[in-house]
Amino acid sequence: MLGREIDVWDFDEGATKIRRFLRPRKVLLVLDDVNHSDQLDYLAGKEDWYGFGSVVIITTRDAHPLVKHGVVRRSEVQVLNTDEALQLFFQHAFRKGYPEQSYRDLSNQVVKYAKGLPLALKVLGSFLHGRDIPAWESALAKLRKVGDAEIFEALKISYDGLDDHEKNIFLDIACFHIGYNKHKVMQLLDTCVFAATIGIDVLAKRSLLTISDAGILEMHDLLREMGLEIVRRESPDEPGKRSRLCLEDDVIRVLEKNRVRNFLQQ
């Protein structure tokens, strides 16, 4: 925003620089996926941070930060209605605005399960694209078995359909490489004996990964959370036994445990 590289040593200093820069200007500010009130305190501030006529839009899956910050005008995003959900699902499952006649009833069942959530419709549709009716029936049977309490299980069906190399690529990107250049990540993954080029292409076609026009790897927050949860479930109580350490707290926990163990051995 400042148009140049600057060094910021703490949150208060950064907030001060943002406030000084924005105060005389009429701005449109969008803060996406806010999950803590501190983010609003340091990035959105108060109304006197901006020039007259400015608009601040905040998206979040937790209303508490908005309440705590005093945001008055709040609106809950509605899920897709049945017709909208069907159209979105058809586009991903059949690559057109209508289904094959023999798949119509199965399509209605998938859409009913997804409950109007666009991400689930895209992921499930991309996963089922080109598959025969028995494969659709098998996927629906699995959805019914796990229940509909967590969208995690619906998204994980597409992950389960990947081969081992593709699963590793997905988990590596979810844990470490979101926001990085596609080609640099491919070079890194290829050193791990992963077929990165075709693997990333498969993930993108299944809507598990998106690539920006600038070649940056991006992933929906729910998909990233699914990846982190898959890794966590490898060993819920012992981070050191997982295939990856994705979170800073887990890294610190493992290092501290190893330090204590080495001390006791000495």
Side-chain angles (χ1 to χ4, degrees):
M1 288 193 300
L2 300 180
R4 66 183 192 280
E5 292 291 332
I6 61 170
D7 293 323
V8 178
W9 296 101
D10 58 45
F11 293 140
D12 291 320
E13 180 188 3
T16 299
K17 290 181 181 293
I18 293 173
R19 181 172 64 252
R20 288 174 179 171
F21 177 75
L22 295 180
R23 179 171 289 172
R25 293 171 170 81
K26 178 180 178 180
V27 302
L28 169 62
L29 176 63
V30 180
L31 300 177
D32 184 39
D33 197 27
V34 169
N35 55 27
H36 197 282
S37 59
D38 284 351
Q39 295 168 343
L40 297 180
D41 293 338
Y42 291 116
L43 296 176
K46 300 179 180 179
E47 292 181 359
D48 61 1
W49 277 34
Y50 321 102
F52 179 77
S54 293
V55 175
V56 180
I57 298 174
I58 303 164
T59 72
T60 179
R61 282 178 279 152
D62 180 4
H64 180 68
L66 301 180
V67 175
K68 186 175 180 180
H69 196 71
V71 177
V72 177
R73 299 179 60 182
R74 301 193 296 272
S75 176
E76 183 174 350
V77 178
Q78 301 299 312
V79 297
L80 301 179
N81 62 39
T82 301
D83 290 338
E84 294 169 336
L86 283 169
Q87 285 300 309
L88 179 61
F89 179 75
F90 293 160
Q91 290 296 333
H92 288 271
F94 303 102
R95 304 297 191 262
K96 53 188 178 183
Y98 56 91
E100 304 295 339
Q101 186 62 37
S102 56
Y103 287 84
R104 184 173 294 276
D105 181 59
L106 291 170
S107 297
N108 288 330
Q109 294 181 54
V110 174
V111 168
K112 181 179 180 180
Y113 178 88
K115 298 186 182 301
L117 184 65
L119 178 62
L121 292 165
K122 290 172 60 178
V123 171
L124 289 172
S126 297
F127 171 71
L128 293 169
H129 173 68
R131 299 183 184 273
D132 58 20
I133 288 179
W136 279 56
E137 291 173 340
S138 176
L140 277 166
K142 184 173 181 180
L143 285 173
R144 296 189 188 99
K145 182 178 180 181
V146 300
D148 58 3
E150 297 183 31
I151 200 64
F152 170 89
E153 298 294 349
L155 302 178
K156 190 172 178 292
I157 283 182
S158 190
Y159 169 83
D160 291 338
L162 302 173
D163 65 28
D164 289 340
H165 282 303
E166 292 160 356
K167 287 179 179 179
N168 278 313
I169 291 173
F170 174 81
L171 294 178
D172 272 0
I173 292 175
C175 290
F176 310 119
H177 303 308
I178 296 174
Y180 288 88
N181 180 271
K182 168 188 172 182
H183 297 292
K184 292 183 178 179
V185 173
M186 282 170 34
Q187 292 175 355
L188 180 62
L189 292 176
D190 281 335
T191 64
C192 302
V193 199
F194 296 151
T197 301
I198 185 63
I200 287 178
D201 183 65
V202 169
L203 296 181
K205 287 182 177 178
R206 294 197 178 181
S207 299
L208 293 173
L209 179 71
T210 56
I211 304 170
S212 72
D213 293 337
I216 302 301
L217 299 181
E218 300 173 348
M219 185 178 291
H220 193 285
D221 293 331
L222 289 177
L223 290 172
R224 181 173 186 266
E225 289 176 8
M226 178 187 72
L228 298 181
E229 178 63 12
I230 289 171
V231 173
R232 189 194 71 81
R233 291 186 180 187
E234 294 173 353
S235 178
D237 300 321
E238 291 287 342
K241 295 181 180 180
R242 299 172 192 167
S243 62
R244 297 159 180 83
L245 292 175
C246 307
L247 303 177
E248 180 181 352
D249 289 344
D250 290 336
V251 174
I252 293 174
R253 181 179 172 186
V254 170
L255 291 175
E256 289 182 341
K257 184 174 182 179
N258 287 341
R259 180 170 60 84
V260 172
R261 182 186 296 117
N262 291 338
F263 174 78
L264 293 175
Q265 289 176 348
Q266 292 175 358

